[in-house]
Amino acid sequence: MSATAESNAATKPPVKATAAASRLWGFGVVALLIILGPVVVYPVLLMKVMCFALFAAGFNLLLGFGGLLSFGHAAYFGIGSYVSAYAAKAWGWPPEAAVTAGTAAGALLGVIFGVVAIRRQGIYFAMITLALAQLIYFVCLQVPFTGGEDGLQSVPRGKLLGLVDLSNDLTLYGVVSVVFFLTLLLVSRIVHSPFGHVLRAIRDNEARAISLGYKTVWYRLAVFVLSTVVCALAGAMKAIVFQLASLTDVHWTTSGEVVLMTLVGGMGTLFGPLVGAAVVVAAEFYLASIGSWVQVIEGGIFVACVLGFRAGIVGTLADFGRRSIAARQGASARAAVN
Amino acid sequence: MFAQAPLKSGRGRWETVEVDAILLARGLSKSFRGIQAVDGVNLTVRRGTIHALIGPNGAGKTTCFNLLTKFLNPTKGVITFNGHDITRRSPADVARLGLVRSFQISAVFPQLTVLENVRVALQRKRRDNFAFWRSDRVLKKLDGRAGQLLEEVGLEGQSSHRAADLSYGRKRALELATTLALEPELLLLDEPMAGMAVEEIERTADLIKRSARNRTVLMVEHNLSVVAALSDEITVLARGHVLAEGSYATVSRDERVIASYIGSGHG
């Protein structure tokens, strides 16, 4: 790993080399936190953080890199959660199959809703996605197999591949961590793929991308579906971890919460959504005693973020780092340009 | 001197006569809620020329431009590119055919670096643009060509800067490099000199001239000295109509042209 970083530093321009290096550092820190986390914090709470971090990371693919604000991502998280819970409970599927089923269901829903929603942008896109998500909410409320107000409770965690018993929290923690880390790598790869480059160009200036010959609608649809897949996976894992799928998963407040997580952490950054999810989940957990005042505090954090550091926690830190590097290089670069 | 209107032959294909026209517009009209922005414009762009579209403010130049690049659909009229009817094609399609435009307001990808801006254009012809599982290291192959293009517009020292941090004139230069990356057969430039400093205008004019050696250029431009120096052919628009056509010498002596320019306060 360090060898590639060195060769990058030699051939690439400095900005890119630092970006690649800081990405590597980021993954290292995440891995370290995953390993050391359970020593300090209750594993179930950490698994909740990871599920919501994936949810936010999937959402951020669409918002931060696709430039599209969806206000209905709870639909995909919730469908993933319900289908995986139902498969595990009613059909007795093993957890890996149940999670796969939940993710596939989310993907399917993503394709259908994506085709409808992707024709509009901005506020109209947000409203259409919200409307579609509300549709799913009412379906989940009415149909018999979701358990209505009660949801699907005491979902069995089962045995992974028929071998590993997941009823132990630490064992499950290991499995969730691996899925989380691999999905994070996938998200990073999507962002840093040929597709990701075109996507960012479209986000920056769609008319220009069209004038270069890109059929932008297909790219927007593709990122929408990828985003829903990651979110559905997050929901499906959440159902296994908490042994519960409920209406909260598909409720519009969950759609709002993921927006909050992403913005607080820093949209358009790889690790921002993870930090945002950790902050929000931790706030809800540690401040649970003060009841609904948590939402007031969350609102306060949100306002502070939007007013004070719009790039979010990670975005602000990255800007700070970039500026100090630029300051070091600035003088020589400017001399070369002029 | 001008091509006749394209004739629809028995086989339903548009055919052009007399001159080698790369782009033809016949009876091009566009109205916005009753306002006739472009009204029955006939335009013939000959292959290998630099053709300028000029006219006072509100003459319909930009609308005309958007019609030709398919960013707007005409109310009436026919547009052919290399003999193919493109009147109902999408803007991405015509870009793929080799008709690439620039924009009046500088159109760069602000969050991408200067190098990445040009590379995105080079990337378009690749087949793996939906490959989200692939590493972007495969794009490094394009860096050499991107660097060359940046050198041509004098941006080689700024390749790792964010495009948003460039000066206005430098953004225009970057946009031109991005457009040239597609090797378009026909280059449509919407006011390429707008907002540029004097020395940048000279450099850009030179670049346009060089890049026009193996392609055709159609540009909208306000700066008449640039138009005089660069273009082989000029079409003057006023109130949505073609007022005059010909070389700079012909057009600048045309009384209606002089009247319309003085009338609207231009020199």
Side-chain angles (χ1 to χ4, degrees), chain B:
Chain B
M1 149 132 225
F2 300 112
Q4 292 169 3
L7 304 168
K8 210 164 189 181
S9 71
R11 287 186 190 84
R13 218 176 100 85
W14 295 97
E15 285 176 16
T16 56
V17 214
E18 283 186 33
V19 298
D20 184 14
I22 186 167
L23 186 72
L24 270 175
R26 285 295 171 264
L28 204 57
S29 302
K30 178 73 185 177
S31 55
F32 297 104
R33 298 181 184 188
I35 297 161
Q36 200 74 31
V38 172
D39 189 7
V41 165
N42 294 329
L43 189 72
T44 306
V45 180
R46 280 183 297 141
R47 193 181 304 281
T49 58
I50 299 182
H51 194 126
L53 203 57
I54 64 169
N57 284 330
K61 300 181 301 285
T62 297
T63 307
C64 203
F65 209 75
N66 284 333
L67 289 172
L68 293 171
T69 51
K70 304 307 308 141
F71 273 70
L72 283 175
N73 272 320
T75 322
K76 271 196 303 231
V78 176
I79 307 163
T80 68
F81 176 63
N82 276 332
H84 298 286
D85 188 339
I86 58 163
T87 316
R88 298 289 156 205
R89 303 294 287 271
S90 76
D93 275 340
V94 298
R96 282 156 183 255
L97 287 172
L99 184 156
V100 182
R101 69 168 293 175
S102 72
F103 290 81
Q104 196 175 94
I105 308 155
S106 89
V108 294
F109 302 114
Q111 304 298 321
L112 305 188
T113 67
V114 168
L115 186 81
E116 283 169 343
N117 261 268
V118 179
R119 212 167 57 179
V120 159
L122 292 169
Q123 201 188 329
R124 213 266 290 134
K125 289 193 176 120
R126 293 179 63 90
R127 281 151 186 272
D128 62 354
N129 287 331
F130 280 99
F132 60 83
W133 57 89
R134 272 199 155 173
S135 164
D136 58 4
R137 276 191 290 269
V138 296
L139 299 178
K140 283 184 74 114
K141 283 182 221 150
L142 305 173
D143 286 357
R145 177 69 187 129
Q148 262 174 14
L149 286 157
L150 288 177
E151 211 165 303
E152 275 187 46
V153 296
L155 277 172
E156 64 275 15
Q158 279 145 300
S159 61
S160 60
H161 291 219
R162 273 191 342 152
D165 300 336
L166 295 181
S167 73
Y168 186 77
R170 303 281 73 202
K171 278 184 192 156
R172 301 305 309 247
L174 174 59
E175 193 191 341
L176 201 55
T178 309
T179 310
L180 288 174
L182 294 176
E183 310 270 348
E185 211 181 328
L186 175 59
L187 188 60
L188 291 104
L189 305 171
D190 196 357
E191 301 197 18
M193 314 293 187
M196 280 194 181
V198 182
E199 64 275 12
E200 283 176 330
I201 288 182
E202 277 170 26
R203 191 199 237 166
T204 310
D206 190 50
L207 177 67
I208 292 174
K209 205 157 198 168
R210 263 187 293 141
S211 42
R213 263 182 222 144
N214 43 9
R215 58 175 59 91
T216 314
V217 177
L218 173 65
M219 61 177 183
V220 168
E221 185 51 60
H222 267 304
N223 188 326
L224 286 184
S225 60
V226 169
V227 171
L230 281 179
S231 22
D232 308 301
E233 187 81 28
I234 294 167
T235 300
V236 187
L237 284 181
R239 296 180 190 178
H241 295 274
V242 174
L243 205 58
E245 273 182 307
S247 67
Y248 187 77
T250 321
V251 167
S252 59
R253 277 198 303 271
D254 192 298
E255 281 181 12
R256 285 170 307 168
V257 174
I258 296 166
S260 94
Y261 264 80
I262 293 169
S264 72
H266 281 264

